[in-house]
Amino acid sequence: LENPELGGVLYKIPQGFYVQLLWMILMSFGSSLLLFLGGMSYIDASVVEYAQVDGVNALQELIHIILPGVYTTFVTVIIIALTTTFSAQGYLFNFYGLYSEAPFRTVGYYIYTNVLASKDATKYPYISAMGLLLTIVWTPIVIGLRKAMEKLGPSEE
């Protein structure tokens, strides 16, 4: 859509941002749910039964048994979310196409639309260099955050 009047709420600055945010959360909910269900399946049922016999209520069970048991899955979900910060563009392109004034833009959307919009190959080296620089900057941040989360997180003992 090249005409913002045709897009309705998606082209209004505050509403478009919230619609996109809600859409991305809803689209990632299923995969996150599957990851957490898989992580919870590895929690030994006998540990939960022993805790219930000892009189642990549901909140204590969640804090002391379930959350430490799925903490590695939580770290994985956070790392995946961070790594898609600069690459998430699929939903935005589906909603906006090559529209340059989209209210919610990611770096991945910017790179993708610039490559598609360029009629010649003169922008390709600059866009490639931008992607490489973002990789060089973002990789140590993600790895450092992962190591910090694993070090500071709860233990399962």
Side-chain angles (χ1 to χ4, degrees):
L1 295 172
E2 292 298 326
N3 188 352
E5 285 83 34
L6 296 176
V9 72
L10 288 175
Y11 290 92
K12 295 183 176 123
I13 298 297
Q15 294 92 352
F17 172 77
Y18 294 119
V19 167
Q20 290 296 320
L21 189 63
L22 178 65
W23 179 260
M24 288 184 180
I25 289 171
L26 287 174
M27 290 298 108
S28 66
F29 181 74
S31 59
S32 297
L33 182 67
L34 288 174
L35 286 171
F36 280 111
L37 286 174
M40 284 191 287
S41 70
Y42 285 106
I43 297 173
D44 192 9
S46 63
V47 174
V48 176
E49 289 173 13
Y50 292 143
Q52 289 173 348
V53 168
D54 285 342
V56 172
N57 63 28
L59 183 62
Q60 291 171 331
E61 179 182 329
L62 175 71
I63 292 172
H64 298 291
I65 297 171
I66 304 297
L67 290 180
V70 297
Y71 187 74
T72 55
T73 305
F74 176 74
V75 170
T76 302
V77 169
I78 294 296
I79 296 303
I80 289 171
L82 285 176
T83 56
T84 60
T85 301
F86 290 125
S87 63
Q89 53 80 22
Y91 302 128
L92 296 172
F93 187 73
N94 287 339
F95 281 124
Y96 298 111
L98 291 175
Y99 183 63
S100 63
E101 298 299 321
F104 184 67
R105 287 173 271 184
T106 62
V107 176
Y109 178 69
Y110 172 78
I111 291 172
Y112 189 71
T113 54
N114 274 317
V115 168
L116 285 180
S118 64
K119 300 296 182 206
D120 57 0
T122 58
K123 286 187 177 182
Y124 292 169
Y126 300 109
I127 293 171
S128 297
M130 184 171 128
L132 286 173
L133 285 174
L134 287 172
T135 301
I136 290 169
V137 168
W138 200 241
T139 300
I141 293 171
V142 169
I143 291 172
L145 181 65
R146 190 189 106 232
K147 288 186 184 281
M149 287 179 74
E150 288 174 352
K151 184 177 180 181
L152 299 174
S155 66
E156 293 185 32
E157 286 101 35

